[in-house]
Amino acid sequence: MNFILYSDIGESAINKSLGLPEYSYYFVLKAFRTVLTELGTVTVVQHPETEVDPLFDAHRQRGEECVFLSFSPPNKTLIDLRCPTVSVFAWEYSNIPDELWDEDVRNDWRIVFGRHGKAITLSSYTARIVREAMGATFPVLAAPAPLWEQFADPRARFGARLPPSQSQLQLRGIVIDSHLLGLSADGLIAHMTFSQTTDEPEAQTMPPPAQPEAQTAPPPPQPEPEPEQMPAPPEPAAPAKTLRYRLAVTKRHLLTWYREAVRDLLPLWLARAVAVSGRSGNTLARAMLGYESNAIPPLPVALEDSPKAIEPIEEVTPTPIPPVQELEREPEATVDLSGVVYTSILSPKDGRKNWFDMVTAFCWTFREVEDATLVLKMSERDLSRYHNTLLTLLSQLAPFKCRVVTLHAYLDEAAYEELIGATSYYVNTSLCEGLCLPLMEFMCCGKPVIAPRHTAMEDYIDADAAFIIKSSLEHNVWPHDPRDLFRTLRYRLDWESICTAYSDSYRTVKQQPEKYLDMSMQAMARLESYSSRTVVKEQLRSFFQQPVEEYA
């Protein structure tokens, strides 16, 4: 069997694609590729519309079977190829899209599956809802990403062990530590003022001391004027708006407009050129107008900030750069962790991840606990997209004694394994999940978890390895449907249940180490039986050996 594989995001661009909707499909393809190599030959393509059919024709001339596996949502998978095509996808809602919009027939997934004749999903939950739409006999395979063997080395170091009391992470990126922020609700509203003095501020002088008067007879008292005769107090003169003030206000609003309305629409090379030219122009303007004076405070959004400022567009180049080269541009950082460490990896822009509930429940539960730490590894390229939201949330929750550490960095393999080793529990508070690779990866290394048991997590989450969060159904929309019509269901979480899971897990690792170790063993056993290469390979072998007529 010959397998042709495709994912919209390739290895050279993976670190630039943090937070994109199809970001995780690259890792799913990477995990499946190892298993598929044991079943046949594997070819990875970048342009399926032009590469797949020629490969298929060549294999067919040699009498060889061939199948194209598109690691993409069905609405982004081609349906007009000669080569047999299968969409390998994750889906986390109660039904598949079965309506047309935007004049694209692929938005009705029933049409896509009908053309392909088969499908591969990443969970039994998704396979079940596909059969509900396509019929009970429709050939759909539920096969998770085979991760077990991939984490053999970190599992040998961290599995079935109590978490370390102290650990240290070495990474390249930006670290936001709540203990170093000086959080306060008073800082929620930032008043920006501009000095309206001249370039040469007037000297602040004290009035001269009064001279002693000669000892003379006091003057006779004067009658006080009638109220109507009292002179009206002079109205304070409005401060003059200097040229510097007007330029600062103009620049501030222009930058906000550009970043919110224009920048993400530009090609990367053009956005970078605009940023560089803007920085050069501002430097010249500051020199000409005397902006280096202390009369005007620097604006936090100025383009003339140093290259290490939070402005990720400055770091982007128009050509793909391997992850290692990109990481070398980030500042080095060291993170010291201690106590009970909770970790979660998520995209802050993805509302399904529900990280507000995760953070608020953590800070409330451990508001008087100093040795509890929540590590948020954010999968997002642009720090400015969530930085203010994060700081506002933490300021609203302050004061609290626990610690929230946010990692804005692409972790290489070594740093990622260090994070796994430093973690006591992995936390998931998602409203729905198509698979959740990080959760599975931490469980592969023996880390118990806090998570709900719904959607894809039904396959591998149970009370033996997890503190389960209560959940219930709620109405929702398909995430890629621009009409925003309520057509499906997802889950809402019980916030108090999240707090209970935090407190129970903390008490377990502190007071019941034998129970923690048992949960660690159960987590590994569950993932070995679910996502090992042997298990997934047999599932794939059986699926592809089915007679062709069963797919029709």
Side-chain angles (χ1 to χ4, degrees), residues 9-23:
I9 297 174
E11 183 173 2
S12 62
I14 187 61
N15 65 319
K16 298 181 182 180
S17 306
L18 298 174
L20 294 181
E22 282 76 47
Y23 168 74

Side-chain angles (χ1 to χ4, degrees), residues 179-310:
H179 278 184
L180 306 178
L181 293 177
L183 295 170
S184 170
D186 296 334
L188 286 175
I189 302 177
H191 298 280
M192 179 171 287
T193 59
F194 299 94
S195 172
Q196 301 197 28
T197 60
T198 61
D199 287 349
E200 298 296 334
E202 295 181 1
Q204 301 297 322
T205 57
M206 298 294 294
Q211 298 294 329
E213 297 182 356
Q215 299 295 325
T216 58
Q222 298 294 329
E224 294 184 3
E226 296 296 331
E228 60 271 12
Q229 297 176 344
M230 292 287 291
E235 295 184 0
K241 296 182 178 180
T242 64
L243 174 61
R244 180 176 300 170
Y245 170 83
R246 297 177 189 274
L247 289 175
V249 172
T250 301
K251 181 173 69 173
R252 178 190 176 196
H253 287 288
L254 282 175
L255 284 172
T256 301
W257 170 81
Y258 167 73
R259 288 174 174 172
E260 296 296 328
V262 177
R263 185 173 64 181
D264 61 332
L265 301 176
L266 301 179
L268 293 180
W269 65 268
L270 182 56
R272 183 174 183 271
V274 170
V276 172
S277 61
R279 182 177 60 193
S280 301
N282 274 280
T283 302
L284 179 61
R286 288 171 64 88
M288 294 176 61
L289 297 176
Y291 264 53
E292 299 302 327
S293 168
N294 293 329
I296 295 182
L299 294 178
V301 296
L303 283 173
E304 61 269 19
D305 292 341
S306 66
K308 293 184 179 181
I310 303 168

Side-chain angles (χ1 to χ4, degrees), residues 37-56:
T37 302
E38 300 177 8
L39 296 176
T41 61
V42 174
T43 304
V44 179
V45 298
Q46 297 181 346
H47 305 285
E49 63 278 0
T50 59
E51 296 181 62
V52 171
D53 279 344
L55 288 171
F56 168 70

Side-chain angles (χ1 to χ4, degrees), residues 381-529:
R381 175 69 182 172
D382 189 347
L383 177 59
S384 66
R385 291 185 180 272
Y386 69 89
H387 181 261
N388 289 343
T389 302
L390 173 67
L391 295 189
T392 299
L393 177 62
L394 295 178
S395 298
Q396 289 175 307
L397 293 166
F400 51 83
K401 294 182 180 179
C402 55
R403 182 185 180 199
V404 179
V405 178
T406 303
L407 306 181
H408 181 79
Y410 180 88
L411 302 183
D412 59 16
E413 184 175 342
Y416 188 57
E417 291 182 2
E418 288 179 3
L419 177 59
I420 294 176
T423 297
S424 307
Y425 297 97
Y426 188 89
V427 185
N428 179 298
T429 57
S430 295
L431 307 176
C432 49
E433 280 289 359
L435 185 61
C436 195
L437 289 175
L439 177 58
M440 294 174 60
E441 291 166 352
F442 276 69
M443 291 181 69
C444 282
C445 298
K447 299 300 177 179
V449 301
I450 295 174
R453 191 174 186 270
H454 60 52
T455 54
M457 294 181 288
E458 293 176 353
D459 288 338
Y460 57 91
I461 292 295
D462 55 42
D464 292 333
F467 296 90
I468 297 178
I469 301 170
K470 297 178 182 179
S471 60
S472 58
L473 287 168
E474 67 176 358
H475 225 167
N476 205 252
V477 303
W478 295 315
H480 63 289
D481 185 353
R483 305 170 301 171
D484 284 339
L485 301 179
F486 286 92
R487 293 290 189 265
T488 190
L489 300 174
R490 69 177 184 187
Y491 287 81
R492 74 177 79 188
L493 302 190
D494 184 330
W495 186 85
E496 185 178 5
S497 179
I498 305 175
C499 297
T500 301
Y502 276 131
S503 59
D504 289 348
S505 62
Y506 181 87
R507 183 170 55 255
T508 296
V509 74
K510 286 287 190 177
Q511 302 176 9
Q512 300 173 289
E514 69 286 348
K515 180 179 178 181
Y516 179 91
L517 292 175
D518 183 64
M519 294 183 72
S520 175
M521 294 291 294
Q522 292 293 333
M524 291 187 292
R526 188 71 189 92
L527 266 292
E528 182 179 14
S529 64

